[in-house]
Amino acid sequence: MALIDRAVAVCPEPLVCNQVEYHPYLDQTAVRAACRAHDLALVAYSPIAKGSVRGDETLAAIARSHRKSAAQVCLRWLIQQGAVAIPRTSKIERLSENIDVFDFELAGEEMASISALGRPDGRLTDFGFAPKWD
Ligand SMILES: NC(=O)c1ccc[n+]([C@@H]2O[C@H](COP(=O)([O-])OP(=O)(O)OC[C@H]3O[C@@H](n4cnc5c(N)ncnc54)[C@H](OP(=O)(O)O)[C@@H]3O)[C@@H](O)[C@H]2O)c1
């Protein structure tokens, strides 16, 4: 949070978004709060945890009830929080799958059970030059 506060304070131009790793295995509550406080959009990179959500039982169970895939449920969870998700794929059929997330809605308890998947070792990208994360 301190880094976002500082970035906003020192940048001569208005900041509009913050791109951070965000998926169900990484709790980003603090970053989300800081983005909200500064009216920044949160852009979620590695939004499907580099593809690893595909074997997730919690997501798969929710996905079955909506006739969607685990990746689609994961992306829906992000956009329902107001985040921007930027999944990467090399497969044309997955491009269609990943954009097809605007015709269903996750219930509050489904959102909560996905949020509960966050874990201390959930971060996938942690460069040596990275700061101490919240
Ligand atoms: N700012 C930064 O420091 C930073 C760091 C990392 C990434 N990024 C950005 O974030 C974007 C995405 O991140 P990412 O590539 O790390 O991870 P990601 O989008 O979470 O996952 C990509 C992986 O998921 C697979 N995939 C895509 N759609 C799928 C689906 N519907 N079902 C199952 N698997 C699926 C892809 O394989 P296939 O190709 O086989 O579909 C690929 O292996 C990148 O394009 C990059 O621009 C930014």
Side-chain angles (χ1 to χ4, degrees), residues 19-20 23 44-54 69 71-72 75 86-91 94-95 97-98 124-125 127:
Q19 186 179 136
V20 295
H23 48 71
Y45 75 69
S46 302
I48 49 174
K50 300 191 176 182
S52 65
V53 301
R54 115 186 88 199
S69 69
Q72 288 172 316
L75 293 168
I86 52 166
R88 175 184 64 81
T89 183
S90 57
K91 300 190 171 59
R94 283 184 172 159
L95 262 184
E97 178 184 334
N98 293 346
L124 301 173
T125 301
F127 299 111

Side-chain angles (χ1 to χ4, degrees), residues 34-93:
C35 287
R36 256 196 316 275
H38 290 291
D39 208 18
L40 299 175
L42 189 154
V43 179
Y45 75 69
S46 302
I48 49 174
K50 300 191 176 182
S52 65
V53 301
R54 115 186 88 199
D56 188 285
E57 271 312 307
T58 300
L59 292 168
I62 295 170
R64 275 192 294 276
S65 68
H66 290 281
R67 296 173 183 263
K68 292 287 180 182
S69 69
Q72 288 172 316
V73 166
C74 177
L75 293 168
R76 180 72 206 182
W77 172 79
L78 287 164
I79 62 170
Q80 256 184 244
Q81 298 170 63
V84 178
I86 52 166
R88 175 184 64 81
T89 183
S90 57
K91 300 190 171 59
I92 194 78
E93 64 275 15

